[in-house]
Amino acid sequence: MAINIPGLVVMAVFYIVILGTGIWASMRSKRVEKKCTGDGMEITLLAGRNINLLVGIFTLTATWVGGGFILGIAEATYNPTLGAVWALMPVPYVLTFFLGE
């Protein structure tokens, strides 16, 4: 079994580029963090952006639906005998966000 030298070089360059991007983003975020007025958690989650309520709701909904499809939960939760009860599941999730703050 021979080592593929060009492939090894390309993989090394790829990982160096990824590492460099991470270091650059870290330094940039430190500079941006000093300019922001919010607390650490807000800066981490929103990166200094202002997100209105409607965009926040759509973002959370997309995250829950996407996570459900990735984990396979969305396909398994439908039950013909329960019907629309599963449509109300986001309500407790939203309440936990408000109660957690």
Side-chain angles (χ1 to χ4, degrees):
M1 183 171 127
I3 296 177
N4 185 353
I5 301 298
L8 186 65
V9 170
V10 168
M11 289 301 295
V13 169
F14 172 75
Y15 282 114
I16 289 170
V17 167
I18 296 297
L19 178 65
T21 303
I23 292 170
W24 170 78
S26 173
M27 291 187 308
R28 184 172 183 263
S29 68
K30 297 268 188 216
R31 279 184 272 146
V32 170
E33 186 176 351
K34 291 178 184 175
K35 296 177 187 175
C36 291
T37 59
D39 62 347
M41 182 62 73
E42 183 179 348
I43 293 169
T44 301
L45 293 176
L46 299 177
R49 298 180 300 249
N50 292 326
I51 296 178
N52 64 19
L53 182 62
L54 185 64
V55 173
I57 290 171
F58 285 146
T59 302
L60 286 175
T61 304
T63 302
W64 292 333
V65 171
F69 280 115
I70 290 170
L71 296 174
I73 296 169
E75 293 89 354
T77 56
Y78 177 72
N79 188 344
T81 60
L82 296 177
V85 173
W86 288 105
L88 299 175
M89 282 306 291
V91 174
Y93 292 140
V94 170
L95 289 176
T96 59
F97 283 113
F98 287 120
L99 294 174
E101 289 186 4

